[in-house]
Amino acid sequence: MKLAEIDLGEGTAGFVLGEGPVGILLIHGLTGTPTELRQVAKGLAKAGNCTVYVPTLAGHCGDNSDLQATGWLDWYEGVRKTFVQVKQRHEQVFVGGLSMGAVMSMYVASEHPGQVAGLLMYSTTLKYDGWSINKMAFITPLLIRIPFGVRLFRFTEKPPYGIKNERLRAIVERQMKEGESSEAGLLTMEGVTVRELHWMNAVVKKRMPRINVPALVLHSIEDDITSRWNADYVERHLGGPVTKILLDNCYHMITVDLQYRRVIELSADFVEQHSSFVGAGLLDGERACCGERACPALGGEAAPSLTLHASS
């Protein structure tokens, strides 16, 4: 299959990096763009053992009207098309994503049992409960159930925008306010879109115990959008072995923030550990591993659950 035959979604923001035998499909977040995964994709592709595919979700990289015209099944359908084509090209395919994309990766695994080699879950978003979120956000599920309730609220990005790196934060803020949605995503998310996320999360939560796929769960202990509760929930409920690693010195957007190199390193280790194409070595150099339990840099035998703290 030629690269041109891989469906990367709407527009031109989606991309493919690398030429390795292991396929990795990464899914961006809600209101986000493929750009937020480019650094991680470059890092994984640079090792030479992976080909990384990052499509654009339906309704994204446009304006709010484009997004409101789609629902979570539309977002999934685009991902499904890409996954099927990537799977035809690669014997082993890992699926992952950032924020909502991490939740979507679990849904992909549930829809394709036995076809996903592992999950790369970054800042999983099952609920908005980070320290920067309005404390009234807990009533969102109630508003969703009320007729026309979704018209009564919207989610608006505000500083620090999931980014601790002040220089990068300033760039992203400018891009969002200038409407550069293909680069920085949307500044606001309407209630109807939040409802779609809640509906998808409800489905995925019910399926999690039956998803028997190894998972790497990376989450910041300083996450401003979604607290570590989200990572803890995955660790407790996912059916497969979970390696949960808590990062510091970064906020929600861990794939671009101050610890993005650590995210690449840990992801590469995980892919290498669970890939049949071993020997080439995804990354050389120091492995990031320290914390609650001794672990040879994610090597050794897989445990049902392993929690680590990665520090800079």
Side-chain angles (χ1 to χ4, degrees), residues 123-144:
S123 304
T124 307
T125 301
L126 293 169
K127 66 178 180 179
Y128 292 112
D129 62 347
W131 55 264
S132 72
I133 300 297
N134 190 304
K135 300 308 177 184
M136 295 300 292
F138 74 91
I139 68 171
T140 300
L142 300 176
L143 292 175
I144 287 174

Side-chain angles (χ1 to χ4, degrees), residues 47-103:
N49 207 34
C50 301
T51 305
V52 187
Y53 304 82
V54 187
T56 303
L57 298 181
H60 287 70
C61 294
D63 56 28
N64 250 309
S65 63
D66 297 319
L67 184 56
Q68 291 180 66
T70 63
W72 77 269
L73 288 174
D74 299 310
W75 310 333
Y76 167 69
E77 178 58 19
V79 172
R80 184 197 66 80
K81 290 179 180 178
T82 305
F83 175 80
V84 169
Q85 293 170 351
V86 171
K87 187 61 181 168
Q88 291 172 351
R89 193 174 182 204
H90 300 271
E91 180 181 345
Q92 279 195 303
V93 177
F94 291 78
V95 181
L98 174 66
S99 196
M100 181 275 285
V103 182

